[in-house]
Amino acid sequence: MTDPNLSATVHRIVADQPVTDLHTHCFAPRFGHSTDGTGRGLMLWGIDELVTYHYLIAEVFRVVTPDKLPYDHFWKMSQTQRADHIWKHLFVDRTPISEACRGVLTTLSKLGLDPNEKTLDPYRKWFADQDADAHVDKVMQIANVDSITMTNEVFDEHERQLWLDNPSLGDDPRFRPVVRIDPMVCDWPDASEKLSAWGYQVNSDLTAGAIDEAKRFLNDWIDRTRPAYVAASLPPTFMYPASSVKNSPASRATNETALTQVVLPVLEDRGLSFAMMIGVHRGANPSLRSAADISGKADTQAVANLCAAFPGNRFLVTMLSLENQHELCVAARKFGNLMPFGCWWFLNNPSIIESMTRMRLEMLGTGFIPQHSDARILDQLIYKWDHSRRAIANVLTEKYDGLARAGYRVTEHTIRSDVQRLLRDNTRAFCQTR
Ligand code: HDL
Ligand code: ZN
């Protein structure tokens, strides 16, 4: 006989479990914030940032199409004007039913605001009264997030200078740095020019001496930031070994050298996981700027080949194409150094979170990380985790019901320990502690 209150019990336990958020684009206030008057603050928060999230920019251009509002006219608007445009067309004139729209409403409601306002002014007034640092604590408490993992783009000149100027930048205990190195493994020739300018004796074809210097660069940033892990996003065409691709261009070979002879040896030596986020095709529609990217089916064989060739490394992997998810689960069954994580970006929708979580539980038990928020604006932690927790709890309920029907005694302790593993412990096991 199954428990008629099972669903309520599971949802309560999932809601009560603090989550360690494995991947976000949030920043601690000490990186500067969007209302500090500098215009360069990296910590984004508040209603205008929420409503001009790049997911919503893409959506508003489907409603007011570029023939009616040319891209350059939109980009000439102030952020306030862009937010008002988006609010009117996606939230007032139409039902805000998409995940990115509904997320804003969930966030406003959980902050104690009425999500039915016809203009943004009441929200602007409320946020204007909030203190950025205190708001971090409030959002973390509402979202029940115990640690926010950042994305620190060490090839971004502005962020790089912040780190060079402030050695304690990464010390906010609520946040964990991550060294993000896309150029190193996606465009080594370009990365090598930057490293040379920064005083590392490297070259575009990454010969022996340059390999040691490239390692020095990565070690310098690991020492400076003390990251939870090191990460890179990769295109759908990512292959390993590159030589498996007929007449692969030279840059693919040096990208592979950077990955296999610089990054992976350094990370194994430093005991750090490598997070590979695979399947993003950057800049499909450049006029959309940060909303320009699309997804593409990648090759999970590359993941399996890397896990087999580098058993001393640990790989956190998320893939952007829905078509890659089952193969990634199969690969994870074969390699204990492979930890699938999250329902990334275009997969971060309740319908897909449920189907991916169901498949992962069926193939991996509780040995995976079901979600990361990918929050870009601090306040998004509230909706991204509320919506994900509900989806995950729905599937767990179904699975516990199945266990009960098989005669297994499902107790609160059973559920609590599983949920802690899924939302916290699996992440922490693959992240380096401070
Ligand atoms: O590369 C990434 O980490 C992606 O998550 C991109 O930042 C993307 O723009 C995003 O924010 N997705 O949610
Ligand atoms: Zn991201």
Side-chain angles (χ1 to χ4, degrees):
M1 201 276 282
T2 60
D3 172 4
N5 302 318
L6 178 62
S7 177
T9 303
V10 175
H11 278 264
R12 170 172 50 80
I13 291 173
V14 170
D16 289 350
Q17 172 59 50
V19 67
T20 297
D21 199 340
L22 178 65
H23 169 65
T24 82
H25 299 271
C26 297
F27 286 88
R30 64 181 63 192
F31 284 79
H33 57 86
S34 42
T35 56
D36 67 8
T38 65
R40 303 205 70 188
L42 293 179
M43 173 191 155
L44 305 180
W45 66 297
I47 189 65
D48 285 287
E49 294 292 353
L50 273 172
V51 177
T52 58
Y53 182 34
H54 68 73
Y55 291 31
L56 294 171
I57 291 174
E59 292 183 23
V60 80
F61 269 106
R62 291 188 50 73
V63 174
V64 184
T65 48
D67 57 312
K68 297 194 188 73
L69 174 69
Y71 291 116
D72 60 340
H73 290 193
F74 176 80
W75 293 117
K76 283 197 184 91
M77 287 173 169
S78 67
Q79 185 181 48
T80 304
Q81 290 168 325
R82 295 201 290 270
D84 291 339
H85 173 75
I86 291 169
W87 188 255
K88 169 180 170 24
H89 291 290
L90 294 186
F91 291 82
V92 178
D93 294 357
R94 292 190 175 203
T95 306
I97 202 167
S98 76
E99 181 60 10
C101 284
R102 184 169 70 91
V104 174
L105 308 185
T106 299
T107 295
L108 292 172
S109 288
K110 285 181 157 293
L111 285 170
L113 301 168
D114 177 357
N116 297 286
E117 299 289 357
K118 296 303 176 201
T119 75
L120 294 173
D121 294 340
Y123 307 131
R124 286 178 177 133
K125 285 193 184 71
W126 185 85
F127 276 100
D129 290 341
Q130 309 308 308
D131 165 74
D133 198 77
H135 195 60
V136 172
D137 293 325
K138 176 190 288 234
V139 168
M140 291 180 78
Q141 184 268 321
I142 295 171
N144 201 4
V145 169
D146 65 12
S147 177
I148 302 171
T149 310
M150 298 188 280
T151 296
N152 301 105
E153 311 261 2
V154 297
F155 281 85
D156 172 83
E157 280 297 347
H158 173 58
E159 180 166 1
R160 176 178 175 276
Q161 201 52 54
L162 287 178
W163 281 101
L164 297 180
D165 295 346
N166 179 359
S168 66
L169 197 62
D171 293 355
D172 186 321
R174 302 167 293 185
F175 294 81
R176 290 299 321 279
V178 162
V179 173
R180 180 70 177 257
I181 55 164
D182 294 26
M184 232 175 148
V185 291
C186 292
D187 188 359
W188 171 256
D190 179 63
S192 67
E193 283 177 25
K194 290 191 168 77
L195 263 68
S196 300
W198 295 332
Y200 296 92
Q201 309 306 312
V202 295
N203 49 44
S204 59
D205 51 21
L206 204 47
T207 45
I211 285 174
D212 290 338
E213 279 292 275
K215 285 181 176 179
R216 183 168 70 90
F217 165 79
L218 187 53
N219 273 305
D220 284 353
W221 277 101
I222 290 169
D223 295 338
R224 184 171 291 126
T225 61
R226 292 177 291 129
Y229 58 86
V230 171
S233 70
L234 295 157
T237 53
F238 173 69
M239 290 294 287
Y240 177 77
S243 52
S244 60
V245 181
K246 275 195 275 320
N247 54 43
S248 75
S251 65
R252 196 196 282 270
T254 49
N255 290 340
E256 179 171 295
T257 305
L259 173 61
T260 59
Q261 298 187 40
V262 175
V263 174
L264 294 181
V266 166
L267 296 191
E268 180 178 6
D269 178 48
R270 302 296 297 265
L272 285 163
S273 298
F274 186 46
M276 299 193 294
M277 308 170 72
I278 309 171
V280 51
H281 173 60
R282 298 281 180 193
N285 179 357
S287 303
L288 284 174
R289 296 187 183 178
S290 53
D293 309 325
I294 60 174
S295 63
K297 188 174 185 323
D299 182 67
T300 42
Q301 195 60 55
V303 175
N305 291 344
L306 278 169
C307 292
F310 296 90
N313 285 94
R314 291 181 304 168
F315 297 92
L316 289 159
V317 175
T318 196
M319 298 184 83
L320 192 50
S321 175
L322 184 59
E323 289 78 0
N324 282 127
Q325 301 311 319
H326 185 259
E327 287 176 353
L328 181 59
C329 280
V330 172
R333 287 168 62 90
K334 310 306 172 181
F335 296 101
N337 58 336
L338 169 56
M339 177 64 82
F341 76 91
C343 303
W344 184 27
W345 202 338
F346 306 111
L347 303 173
N348 193 355
N349 299 317
S351 61
I352 297 176
I353 297 167
E354 289 204 11
S355 64
M356 283 177 64
T357 302
R358 181 174 293 112
M359 174 173 61
R360 288 166 164 174
L361 283 170
E362 290 163 354
M363 294 179 76
L364 303 173
T366 53
F368 65 97
I369 299 168
Q371 188 60 299
H372 63 278
S373 70
D374 220 343
R376 190 165 280 277
I377 292 99
L378 177 82
D379 309 88
Q380 291 176 333
L381 291 172
I382 294 173
Y383 89 81
K384 286 177 181 271
W385 281 111
D386 179 74
H387 294 186
S388 292
R389 288 177 196 264
R390 288 175 194 279
I392 293 163
N394 287 342
V395 180
L396 282 172
T397 301
E398 174 194 311
K399 291 305 173 189
Y400 288 129
D401 184 59
L403 282 172
R405 276 188 280 106
Y408 184 79
R409 263 192 311 284
V410 178
T411 65
E412 280 220 17
H413 175 72
T414 310
I415 301 167
R416 207 173 291 285
S417 58
D418 292 345
V419 169
Q420 181 176 309
R421 185 177 306 114
L422 287 165
L423 295 187
R424 187 180 182 278
D425 296 350
N426 286 346
T427 291
R428 288 174 179 252
F430 265 67
C431 291
Q432 196 155 68
T433 51
R434 241 174 225 294

